[in-house]
Amino acid sequence: MRIDVLGAGFNSAGLDDGVARAPGALRRAGLITRALTGHEVRDLGDVEFREPIPRRGEVTGLLAEEALISMLAGVRRNVEAILAREHFPLLIGGDCAVLPGALAACRAVHGSVGLLFVDGHEDAWPPADSTTGEAADCELGLALGLTAADVPAELAPVLRPEATALLGPRDGAELHDHGVGSLRGSLWFATDRDLTGRIAASVADAVATIEMAAGHWWLHVDLDVLATDQLAAVDYPQAGGLSWAELTELTAIALRRPGCAGWSITIYNPDLDADGHEARRVVRYVEEALSPTAHGLDRDHAEPGSG
Ligand SMILES: [Mn+2]
């Protein structure tokens, strides 16, 4: 598998620490040298963007608006170039705000795009209602065109609900308390509890649904889909969540589907991981998910990303 790694150390809070430092921390923990051995890998470095300012913008109502828009343009340009040379993009956030750039690139190159979205939150707050003002609470709603009318091109809708599946969200009660609508019922949807004990069948069903609407789709993994006792270095922990074994199985299955066009990993916060053990665990996850023998999956089944 020819993997091009791209960092996008963007923190939607408009800060240059926390998740913004994840690409560097994961490289230092062996992401390139260890996790990706056995694959043909190039590290493209990090996307550049304007200096983030922790203030809500006038156009989107989101924090660090100008930095956000310039970051999305950079992610899109770089991921488009990776896809155009038929390599597999591995995009390391930062937080989930990086996703719309990858989706736009995928749609530009492949003509349509679907999304397998794996996250502890639905990320579909209308920007004006978001209590944080962070794009990473809103990106899925924006990508689906559900939540904002007037947005810059970088945040324009790129996804259709029939080409989208949500796996692992567990913030339904919080959304309800704030009067924010859930995506449950409007697209393929399974909470962490729905997934327990039936990862393989759920992923197969989600991907089959996506592929009826889009031949190529993006795999997005927000690591806060994990339980806090599995990964504590995240900014918005919640009760419940998946185990590393469950997330690894889910990811390994998804990566072996020929329609999987790229992969993003977000939300690891190195500032909450003083000794780096959580970074090493994330690296092991990438290694295991890409391993040809991951969870007994048959290599003949399909080569990761061969499509
Ligand atoms: Mn998220």
Side-chain angles (χ1 to χ4, degrees), residues 271-296:
D271 293 352
L272 303 176
D273 180 29
D275 66 3
H277 79 281
E278 306 258 50
R280 291 189 292 279
R281 186 62 187 86
V282 175
V283 165
R284 201 174 111 207
Y285 154 67
V286 176
E287 181 180 16
E288 290 177 354
L290 284 166
S291 159
T293 55
H295 292 264

Tab-separated table of all heavy atoms in Angstrom, residues 271-296:
chain	number	residue	atom	x	y	z
A	271	ASP	N	-0.934	17.127	25.042
A	271	ASP	CA	-0.770	17.871	26.299
A	271	ASP	C	-1.363	17.105	27.483
A	271	ASP	O	-1.069	17.425	28.644
A	271	ASP	CB	-1.446	19.244	26.203
A	271	ASP	CG	-0.748	20.159	25.199
A	271	ASP	OD1	0.338	19.772	24.709
A	271	ASP	OD2	-1.285	21.233	24.897
A	272	LEU	N	-2.222	16.122	27.205
A	272	LEU	CA	-2.824	15.304	28.260
A	272	LEU	C	-2.123	13.946	28.378
A	272	LEU	O	-2.678	12.999	28.922
A	272	LEU	CB	-4.325	15.106	27.967
A	272	LEU	CG	-5.142	16.388	27.813
A	272	LEU	CD1	-6.594	16.061	27.428
A	272	LEU	CD2	-5.116	17.202	29.106
A	273	ASP	N	-0.920	13.866	27.828
A	273	ASP	CA	-0.205	12.587	27.728
A	273	ASP	C	1.271	12.834	27.989
A	273	ASP	O	2.116	12.700	27.105
A	273	ASP	CB	-0.455	12.018	26.312
A	273	ASP	CG	0.227	10.684	26.073
A	273	ASP	OD1	0.419	9.924	27.051
A	273	ASP	OD2	0.530	10.402	24.908
A	274	ALA	N	1.586	13.181	29.255
A	274	ALA	CA	2.929	13.666	29.583
A	274	ALA	C	4.028	12.671	29.217
A	274	ALA	O	5.080	13.057	28.720
A	274	ALA	CB	2.992	14.001	31.075
A	275	ASP	N	3.787	11.379	29.452
A	275	ASP	CA	4.863	10.404	29.196
A	275	ASP	C	4.770	9.772	27.808
A	275	ASP	O	5.589	8.924	27.456
A	275	ASP	CB	4.867	9.320	30.279
A	275	ASP	CG	3.614	8.453	30.261
A	275	ASP	OD1	2.747	8.650	29.371
A	275	ASP	OD2	3.490	7.567	31.127
A	276	GLY	N	3.781	10.173	27.024
A	276	GLY	CA	3.698	9.697	25.641
A	276	GLY	C	3.146	8.289	25.466
A	276	GLY	O	3.140	7.766	24.354
A	277	HIS	N	2.647	7.679	26.541
A	277	HIS	CA	2.190	6.286	26.367
A	277	HIS	C	0.928	6.197	25.519
A	277	HIS	O	0.715	5.225	24.798
A	277	HIS	CB	2.005	5.584	27.724
A	277	HIS	CG	0.731	5.920	28.440
A	277	HIS	ND1	0.557	7.094	29.145
A	277	HIS	CD2	-0.442	5.249	28.536
A	277	HIS	CE1	-0.670	7.111	29.669
A	277	HIS	NE2	-1.297	6.017	29.310
A	278	GLU	N	0.103	7.258	25.571
A	278	GLU	CA	-1.120	7.230	24.751
A	278	GLU	C	-0.765	7.376	23.270
A	278	GLU	O	-1.398	6.778	22.409
A	278	GLU	CB	-2.066	8.354	25.183
A	278	GLU	CG	-2.398	8.365	26.675
A	278	GLU	CD	-3.767	7.791	26.994
A	278	GLU	OE1	-4.079	6.682	26.518
A	278	GLU	OE2	-4.524	8.475	27.724
A	279	ALA	N	0.251	8.195	22.974
A	279	ALA	CA	0.699	8.331	21.580
A	279	ALA	C	1.187	6.993	21.045
A	279	ALA	O	0.868	6.614	19.913
A	279	ALA	CB	1.807	9.379	21.484
A	280	ARG	N	1.944	6.279	21.880
A	280	ARG	CA	2.437	4.973	21.431
A	280	ARG	C	1.271	4.000	21.203
A	280	ARG	O	1.308	3.166	20.298
A	280	ARG	CB	3.447	4.411	22.444
A	280	ARG	CG	4.762	5.200	22.465
A	280	ARG	CD	5.846	4.519	23.290
A	280	ARG	NE	5.567	4.489	24.722
A	280	ARG	CZ	5.794	5.528	25.559
A	280	ARG	NH1	6.294	6.662	25.099
A	280	ARG	NH2	5.521	5.418	26.838
A	281	ARG	N	0.211	4.154	21.996
A	281	ARG	CA	-0.954	3.272	21.803
A	281	ARG	C	-1.674	3.603	20.492
A	281	ARG	O	-2.156	2.712	19.791
A	281	ARG	CB	-1.917	3.416	23.006
A	281	ARG	CG	-3.073	2.422	22.956
A	281	ARG	CD	-2.574	0.986	23.026
A	281	ARG	NE	-3.612	-0.027	22.814
A	281	ARG	CZ	-3.995	-0.486	21.624
A	281	ARG	NH1	-3.462	0.024	20.525
A	281	ARG	NH2	-4.913	-1.425	21.511
A	282	VAL	N	-1.745	4.904	20.166
A	282	VAL	CA	-2.362	5.305	18.894
A	282	VAL	C	-1.551	4.738	17.731
A	282	VAL	O	-2.104	4.200	16.759
A	282	VAL	CB	-2.472	6.844	18.793
A	282	VAL	CG1	-2.990	7.257	17.411
A	282	VAL	CG2	-3.383	7.399	19.890
A	283	VAL	N	-0.227	4.823	17.842
A	283	VAL	CA	0.650	4.288	16.792
A	283	VAL	C	0.442	2.787	16.630
A	283	VAL	O	0.361	2.262	15.519
A	283	VAL	CB	2.123	4.629	17.108
A	283	VAL	CG1	3.086	3.803	16.264
A	283	VAL	CG2	2.371	6.119	16.896
A	284	ARG	N	0.300	2.094	17.765
A	284	ARG	CA	0.055	0.641	17.693
A	284	ARG	C	-1.272	0.338	17.001
A	284	ARG	O	-1.390	-0.623	16.238
A	284	ARG	CB	0.068	0.061	19.105
A	284	ARG	CG	0.331	-1.441	19.117
A	284	ARG	CD	0.484	-1.933	20.552
A	284	ARG	NE	-0.638	-2.770	20.940
A	284	ARG	CZ	-1.069	-2.933	22.190
A	284	ARG	NH1	-0.488	-2.284	23.175
A	284	ARG	NH2	-2.073	-3.726	22.455
A	285	TYR	N	-2.245	1.171	17.267
A	285	TYR	CA	-3.554	1.010	16.601
A	285	TYR	C	-3.416	1.117	15.079
A	285	TYR	O	-3.929	0.277	14.330
A	285	TYR	CB	-4.511	2.060	17.158
A	285	TYR	CG	-5.645	2.479	16.244
A	285	TYR	CD1	-6.659	1.584	15.901
A	285	TYR	CD2	-5.711	3.778	15.749
A	285	TYR	CE1	-7.704	1.988	15.075
A	285	TYR	CE2	-6.746	4.190	14.934
A	285	TYR	CZ	-7.737	3.290	14.593
A	285	TYR	OH	-8.765	3.686	13.778
A	286	VAL	N	-2.686	2.129	14.622
A	286	VAL	CA	-2.494	2.304	13.174
A	286	VAL	C	-1.776	1.086	12.598
A	286	VAL	O	-2.160	0.543	11.556
A	286	VAL	CB	-1.710	3.598	12.888
A	286	VAL	CG1	-1.413	3.732	11.397
A	286	VAL	CG2	-2.485	4.819	13.388
A	287	GLU	N	-0.741	0.645	13.316
A	287	GLU	CA	0.044	-0.512	12.889
A	287	GLU	C	-0.844	-1.759	12.778
A	287	GLU	O	-0.825	-2.470	11.774
A	287	GLU	CB	1.164	-0.728	13.917
A	287	GLU	CG	2.100	-1.873	13.616
A	287	GLU	CD	3.171	-2.002	14.711
A	287	GLU	OE1	3.005	-1.426	15.816
A	287	GLU	OE2	4.176	-2.678	14.461
A	288	GLU	N	-1.649	-1.980	13.804
A	288	GLU	CA	-2.486	-3.185	13.813
A	288	GLU	C	-3.587	-3.113	12.753
A	288	GLU	O	-3.905	-4.107	12.106
A	288	GLU	CB	-3.097	-3.392	15.202
A	288	GLU	CG	-2.058	-3.804	16.231
A	288	GLU	CD	-2.619	-3.938	17.650
A	288	GLU	OE1	-3.812	-3.605	17.864
A	288	GLU	OE2	-1.860	-4.373	18.529
A	289	ALA	N	-4.164	-1.933	12.580
A	289	ALA	CA	-5.253	-1.815	11.609
A	289	ALA	C	-4.752	-2.034	10.186
A	289	ALA	O	-5.487	-2.519	9.329
A	289	ALA	CB	-5.910	-0.440	11.736
A	290	LEU	N	-3.485	-1.682	9.938
A	290	LEU	CA	-2.908	-1.828	8.594
A	290	LEU	C	-2.168	-3.143	8.415
A	290	LEU	O	-1.705	-3.454	7.319
A	290	LEU	CB	-1.931	-0.673	8.312
A	290	LEU	CG	-2.564	0.667	7.977
A	290	LEU	CD1	-1.539	1.782	8.071
A	290	LEU	CD2	-3.174	0.633	6.582
A	291	SER	N	-2.039	-3.904	9.486
A	291	SER	CA	-1.311	-5.160	9.394
A	291	SER	C	-2.088	-6.147	8.522
A	291	SER	O	-3.290	-6.290	8.652
A	291	SER	CB	-1.125	-5.740	10.795
A	291	SER	OG	-0.878	-7.123	10.713
A	292	PRO	N	-1.385	-6.857	7.645
A	292	PRO	CA	-2.086	-7.809	6.784
A	292	PRO	C	-2.776	-8.914	7.567
A	292	PRO	O	-3.699	-9.545	7.059
A	292	PRO	CB	-0.979	-8.373	5.888
A	292	PRO	CG	0.307	-7.852	6.386
A	292	PRO	CD	0.040	-6.747	7.357
A	293	THR	N	-2.338	-9.132	8.791
A	293	THR	CA	-2.949	-10.225	9.556
A	293	THR	C	-3.893	-9.709	10.637
A	293	THR	O	-4.272	-10.449	11.531
A	293	THR	CB	-1.852	-11.071	10.232
A	293	THR	OG1	-1.024	-10.204	11.015
A	293	THR	CG2	-0.990	-11.769	9.206
A	294	ALA	N	-4.294	-8.437	10.530
A	294	ALA	CA	-5.128	-7.854	11.577
A	294	ALA	C	-6.371	-8.700	11.815
A	294	ALA	O	-7.131	-8.965	10.897
A	294	ALA	CB	-5.540	-6.437	11.187
A	295	HIS	N	-6.539	-9.127	13.035
A	295	HIS	CA	-7.740	-9.814	13.473
A	295	HIS	C	-8.153	-10.962	12.564
A	295	HIS	O	-9.329	-11.172	12.306
A	295	HIS	CB	-8.891	-8.826	13.633
A	295	HIS	CG	-8.651	-7.893	14.770
A	295	HIS	ND1	-9.155	-8.081	16.020
A	295	HIS	CD2	-7.875	-6.795	14.847
A	295	HIS	CE1	-8.721	-7.124	16.830
A	295	HIS	NE2	-7.946	-6.339	16.148
A	296	GLY	N	-7.132	-11.674	12.063
A	296	GLY	CA	-7.433	-12.850	11.262
A	296	GLY	C	-8.037	-12.544	9.908
A	296	GLY	O	-8.477	-13.441	9.200
